[in-house]
Amino acid sequence: MSNTTWQPCISGMKDFTSAFLFSVETQHTTGYGYYHITEECPTAVISLCIQSIFGVILEGILVGLVFVKIARAKSRSATLMFSRNSIVSQRNGELCFMFRVADMRKSHLLDVSVRAQLIKRSSVQEGEEVTISQEELDVNGEGEKDNKLLLFWPTIVIHRINSKSPLYRLSATDLSPDNTKFEIIVVLEGIVEATGLTTQARSSYMPSEILWANRFKSITSKKSKTGERVIDYSMFHQVIHVPTSPLSAYQIDTLSNA
């Protein structure tokens, strides 16, 4: 200290408290102006650079973790909507099982796919009773050739009931509230645009929730002043009655071939 030309590595540094305050100011780029590094100590300059780089990396990781926590896929699935009821009616002369899905957010999912499975109690030919059996239903969106969907607007998912369908022998009498022998589970899956994470939403339809001889009401939409399409979801769940035979597809084919 007797050397009058001596300069400290960090000006104004007296004790641990002042060193801690300088570290905090460096980490958060506060810069009050009282503490600053001199050119006397290259080691201190290198330490300052290392702390600055480490601080940027640490803050980036923390921001990423918070963002993923806020926009996690579990919350995203809450904005995917299924119709309250599914329906059975004819489309182009063919009996179809249908339900409607929609994405309520403006930022839509990517690579959306939909699946449907029939869950029922059954037994095998050897007499063994299988408590639950699963059969896949071939589904596709309106105008789509496979189970991939574009959820830019509410879409009706269709399963055509033919001789290869597990619902081939399903008729209107099987949809009574007392029937609990089967359930149709539907799964919608897609990639969240903001995070790249996969999200999944599920719903199911019991026999009492399948409406025979109905179709979904058309949903209206219009363009806002900004050019965005505004969809009226008030009629998303509404259906109207249409003339449809109460017979199953199997019975209709049998009568047609007789």
Side-chain angles (χ1 to χ4, degrees), residues 67-79:
F67 180 79
V68 171
K69 185 68 176 178
I70 294 175
R72 63 189 186 277
K74 184 177 180 181
S75 299
R76 183 64 177 87
S77 64
T79 60

Side-chain angles (χ1 to χ4, degrees), residues 11-257:
S11 64
M13 193 70 61
K14 298 178 182 179
D15 50 16
F16 176 80
T17 303
S18 58
F20 178 77
L21 289 175
F22 175 72
S23 177
V24 172
E25 291 179 20
T26 302
Q27 182 77 19
H28 297 281
T29 64
T30 305
Y32 290 127
Y34 185 72
Y35 307 108
H36 66 275
I37 290 182
T38 64
E39 63 276 8
E40 297 296 321
C41 300
T43 305
V45 177
I46 295 173
S47 300
L48 175 66
C49 295
I50 293 174
Q51 179 176 351
S52 299
I53 295 172
F54 177 79
V56 171
I57 295 174
L58 181 62
E59 289 177 1
I61 293 174
L62 292 177
V63 170
L65 291 175
V66 171
F67 180 79
V68 171
K69 185 68 176 178
I70 294 175
R72 63 189 186 277
K74 184 177 180 181
S75 299
R76 183 64 177 87
S77 64
T79 60
L80 300 175
M81 187 164 55
F82 294 88
S83 57
R84 191 179 298 112
N85 297 100
S86 58
I87 60 173
V88 175
S89 61
Q90 286 195 338
R91 275 284 184 98
N92 297 323
E94 192 173 14
L95 204 60
C96 296
F97 167 81
M98 295 171 281
F99 60 93
R100 186 145 63 184
V101 295
D103 186 359
M104 303 290 290
R105 284 196 182 181
K106 293 182 178 179
S107 58
H108 299 291
L109 294 178
L110 306 176
D111 195 25
V112 182
S113 62
V114 63
R115 293 180 59 194
Q117 281 196 338
L118 174 66
I119 311 297
K120 65 178 181 179
R121 297 178 181 177
S122 63
S123 58
V124 296
Q125 294 179 356
E126 290 75 14
E128 178 186 358
E129 184 177 349
V130 181
T131 304
I132 295 178
S133 66
Q134 305 178 31
E135 294 184 78
E136 193 80 15
L137 302 181
D138 293 330
V139 294
N140 59 274
E142 290 181 295
E144 303 288 345
K145 295 182 179 180
D146 52 21
N147 66 338
K148 297 294 184 180
L149 302 178
L150 288 176
L151 277 187
F152 299 151
W153 48 79
T155 302
I156 297 176
V157 180
I158 304 170
H159 166 70
R160 290 171 174 80
I161 305 176
N162 49 37
S163 59
K164 298 180 180 180
S165 168
L167 305 179
Y168 190 47
R169 296 177 182 271
L170 180 70
S171 64
T173 56
D174 297 323
L175 305 181
S176 63
D178 298 330
N179 186 3
T180 58
K181 293 183 178 180
F182 74 90
E183 180 180 7
I184 297 177
I185 297 178
V186 294
V187 180
L188 189 68
E189 191 175 83
I191 298 175
V192 182
E193 183 180 10
T195 62
L197 299 176
T198 300
T199 185
Q200 188 180 90
R202 296 177 294 273
S203 186
S204 67
Y205 299 103
M206 297 295 293
S208 59
E209 297 172 323
I210 303 174
L211 305 180
W212 196 278
N214 284 270
R215 70 171 178 85
F216 289 110
K217 282 189 175 181
S218 299
I219 294 179
T220 60
S221 63
K222 60 181 180 180
K223 283 192 175 182
S224 63
K225 295 181 180 179
T226 59
E228 296 179 345
R229 186 172 296 277
V230 180
I231 300 174
D232 181 13
Y233 286 96
S234 61
M235 294 186 293
F236 181 81
H237 299 287
Q238 296 184 20
V239 297
I240 56 176
H241 180 76
V242 292
T244 304
S245 172
L247 302 178
S248 66
Y250 168 76
Q251 293 170 324
I252 293 174
D253 290 347
T254 301
L255 292 174
S256 300
N257 297 329

